[in-house]
């Protein structure tokens, strides 16, 4: 009789233990399912006068969005490229704010100057006077693409053909670091830990840290990697030139696709982001307009 009582007690104990484990597993599953997912909602798009728009840059001080328009050939020295300004409603305020460039691409602002890459030239523009104030030339056909500016005014410039990052500091232009294994260096973003980069042909996102200046791949398979922005929560969004946008989690650098407009032939070049309104700005290259999306979490 005692034996039977012990057996029944053990069965009941195992049953409740099993129920407890099942409940714990279900709880974990519910937690995972509640993780928020990012998405994009179209807010506005400009008119199609921004011919071959490659890059956008939001100036928080003036609330102006600068647009670099190649105007046809991306590497042709034809002097028909121009910079436009638009407002945060998508209205073009000055179509030809600056003219006479050839193929303007990545941009950055520091101390009243707008820096723009133009094939082999880094062009400095005085914003107040709307005039080119200086030009810095890189030899040997570097095909300058994106740029990023540190808080102390150092300008970092990517060479897509040279796979080098050049540095403009105190009026002197030099090679900051190079990537012999790179395929086609493109997007750059300065942060305290180093310079994040996107390689167009290798389809990767990575980091050049401040200590050894080595290129370390963090995320793979992100299309024709182009622009990079960082969000308030530390995560990133990168663009794939042919029409993809990716959300990259800073925790593990896992990427999820936010948008794919390749079938519509709406490209996604050098993006920018307005934190105050969670607005992602996307220049669409051959689609000749800038499109703005609201970043949402569901």
């Amino acid at each position: 009789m005692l034996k039977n009582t012990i057996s029944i007690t053990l069965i009941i104990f195992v049953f409740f233990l099993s129920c407890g484990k099942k409940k714990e597993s279900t709880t974990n599953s519910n937690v995972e399912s509640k993780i928020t997912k990012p998405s994009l909602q179209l807010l506005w798009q400009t008119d199609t006068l921004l011919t071959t728009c490659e890059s956008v840059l939001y100036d928080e001080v003036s609330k102006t969005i600068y647009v670099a328009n190649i105007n046809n050939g991306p590497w042709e020295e034809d002097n028909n490229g121009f910079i436009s300004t638009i407002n945060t409603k998508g209205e073009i305020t000055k179509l030809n704010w600056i003219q006479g460039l050839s193929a303007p691409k990545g941009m950055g602002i520091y101390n009243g100057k707008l820096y723009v890459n133009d094939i082999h030239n880094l062009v400095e523009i005085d914003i107040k006077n709307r005039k080119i104030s200086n030009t810095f030339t890189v030899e040997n056909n570097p095909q300058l693409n994106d740029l990023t500016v540190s808080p102390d005014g150092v300008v970092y410039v990517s060479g897509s053909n040279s796979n080098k990052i050049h540095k403009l500091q105190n009026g002197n232009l030099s090679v900051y670091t190079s990537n012999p294994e790179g395929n086609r260096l493109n997007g750059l973003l300065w942060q305290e830990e180093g310079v994040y980069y996107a390689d167009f042909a290798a389809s990767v996102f990575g980091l050049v840290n401040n200590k050894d200046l080595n290129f370390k791949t963090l995320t793979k398979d992100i299309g024709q990697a182009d622009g990079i922005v960082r969000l308030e929560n530390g995560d990133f969004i990168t663009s794939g030139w042919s029409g993809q946008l990716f959300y990259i989690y800073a925790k593990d650098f896992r990427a999820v696709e936010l948008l794919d407009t390749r079938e519509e032939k709406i490209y996604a070049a050098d993006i920018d982001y307005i934190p105050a309104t969670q607005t992602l700005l996307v220049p669409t290259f051959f689609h000749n307009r800038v499109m703005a999306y609201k970043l949402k979490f569901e």
Side-chain angles (χ1 to χ4, degrees), residues 81-132:
F82 59 99
I83 306 293
S84 301
T85 59
I86 63 176
N87 61 27
T88 53
K89 296 178 182 179
E91 299 165 334
I92 299 173
T93 53
K94 281 284 184 183
L95 181 62
N96 295 303
W97 185 77
I98 286 288
Q99 294 178 285
L101 303 173
S102 286
K105 297 182 179 68
M107 297 180 288
I109 291 175
Y110 182 76
N111 196 25
K113 301 293 193 297
L114 176 69
Y115 294 91
V116 186
N117 278 331
D118 191 16
I119 306 181
H120 53 262
N121 291 325
L122 171 58
V123 180
E124 178 189 272
I125 298 170
D126 186 300
I127 295 175
K128 184 179 179 180
N129 296 314
R130 286 176 56 188
K131 290 183 178 180
I132 294 175

Side-chain angles (χ1 to χ4, degrees), residues 103-245:
K105 297 182 179 68
M107 297 180 288
I109 291 175
Y110 182 76
N111 196 25
K113 301 293 193 297
L114 176 69
Y115 294 91
V116 186
N117 278 331
D118 191 16
I119 306 181
H120 53 262
N121 291 325
L122 171 58
V123 180
E124 178 189 272
I125 298 170
D126 186 300
I127 295 175
K128 184 179 179 180
N129 296 314
R130 286 176 56 188
K131 290 183 178 180
I132 294 175
S133 51
N134 214 335
T135 300
F136 305 90
T137 301
V138 179
E139 303 296 336
N140 301 317
N141 189 28
Q143 294 190 349
L144 303 181
N145 207 322
D146 198 15
L147 67 77
T148 184
V149 185
S150 69
D152 57 352
V154 180
V155 182
Y156 298 88
V157 179
S158 67
S160 288
N161 194 45
S162 62
N163 286 305
K164 294 178 181 178
I165 297 178
H166 302 268
K167 179 177 72 171
L168 178 66
Q169 186 173 21
N170 299 322
N172 298 312
L173 192 62
S174 62
V175 175
Y176 178 63
T177 187
S178 60
N179 186 11
E181 297 180 359
N183 288 331
R184 195 157 179 79
L185 187 61
N186 196 339
L188 297 179
L189 178 66
W190 183 95
Q191 296 286 273
E192 288 185 4
E193 59 270 32
V195 177
Y196 288 92
Y197 70 92
D199 191 305
F200 181 94
S203 300
V204 301
F205 166 74
L207 174 67
V208 177
N209 66 62
N210 293 323
K211 296 179 180 178
D212 57 20
L213 303 185
N214 288 331
F215 287 73
K216 180 183 179 182
T217 297
L218 300 173
T219 309
K220 297 180 180 180
D221 302 321
I222 53 168
Q224 293 170 308
D226 200 321
I228 309 167
V229 296
R230 195 167 199 177
L231 309 176
E232 308 94 311
N233 62 6
D235 294 340
F236 302 85
I237 294 178
T238 64
S239 59
W241 178 80
S242 57
Q244 292 174 284
L245 294 166

Side-chain angles (χ1 to χ4, degrees), residues 59-75:
D59 179 16
E60 188 176 353
V61 176
S62 64
K63 312 300 180 188
T64 298
I65 300 168
Y66 295 93
V67 185
N69 305 289
I70 294 172
N71 196 13
N72 294 322
W75 301 109

Side-chain angles (χ1 to χ4, degrees), residues 31-38 233 247 249 254 296-298:
V31 170
E32 290 176 3
S33 66
K34 290 179 181 178
I35 293 176
T36 55
K37 295 181 179 179
N233 62 6
Y247 189 98
Y249 294 91
R254 176 174 57 92
K296 302 171 68 177
F297 293 92
E298 301 169 351

